[in-house]
Amino acid sequence: MADNDDVKSLSFEAALEQLEQIVAKLESGKAPLAESIAIYERGEALKAHCETLLKTAEARIEKITLSRDGKAMGTEPLDAT
C-alpha cells in the first residue's frame, strides 16, 4: 500500500487537483499496472480527505434566522434535522 500520510496536510483545492490528475492518468491507460494501483490507492486517500473537508465545511455553515418582522435574530445550523 502506498504511503499517503501527507494527504491529510493538503488543502481541499490541492487534494482535488491531485485527484483530477490521477483520474486523467488512469483514464489514459498509459500507466503501468503497478503504478496504476499505487496512484489509485492515493486517489482513494485523496477522495476520503476531500469528503472529510467538505463535511467539516458543511457543518460550519449556518443560516440566519429571522424574526416575524424580518430582522435577523441569530443563526442555526443549515441542516437542523
Side-chain angles (χ1 to χ4, degrees):
M1 182 173 224
D3 182 19
N4 293 311
D5 293 337
D6 67 314
V7 168
K8 293 179 182 177
S9 67
L10 295 173
S11 69
F12 176 81
E13 293 79 10
L16 186 60
E17 182 178 339
Q18 284 188 28
L19 186 55
E20 289 171 345
Q21 291 171 357
I22 287 171
V23 169
K25 191 165 192 173
L26 289 172
E27 286 179 343
S28 76
K30 294 181 181 176
L33 180 60
E35 182 184 354
S36 293
I37 292 169
I39 62 175
Y40 180 84
E41 289 175 348
R42 181 161 179 88
E44 284 183 324
L46 289 164
K47 178 184 171 282
H49 180 62
C50 286
E51 287 174 343
T52 299
L53 292 174
L54 284 173
K55 286 178 185 175
T56 301
E58 184 179 81
R60 294 179 59 198
I61 295 173
E62 297 179 336
K63 72 176 177 183
I64 298 171
T65 57
L66 302 175
S67 64
R68 289 186 175 188
D69 61 355
K71 294 183 181 176
M73 52 183 252
T75 61
E76 65 183 38
L78 182 62
D79 185 15
T81 56

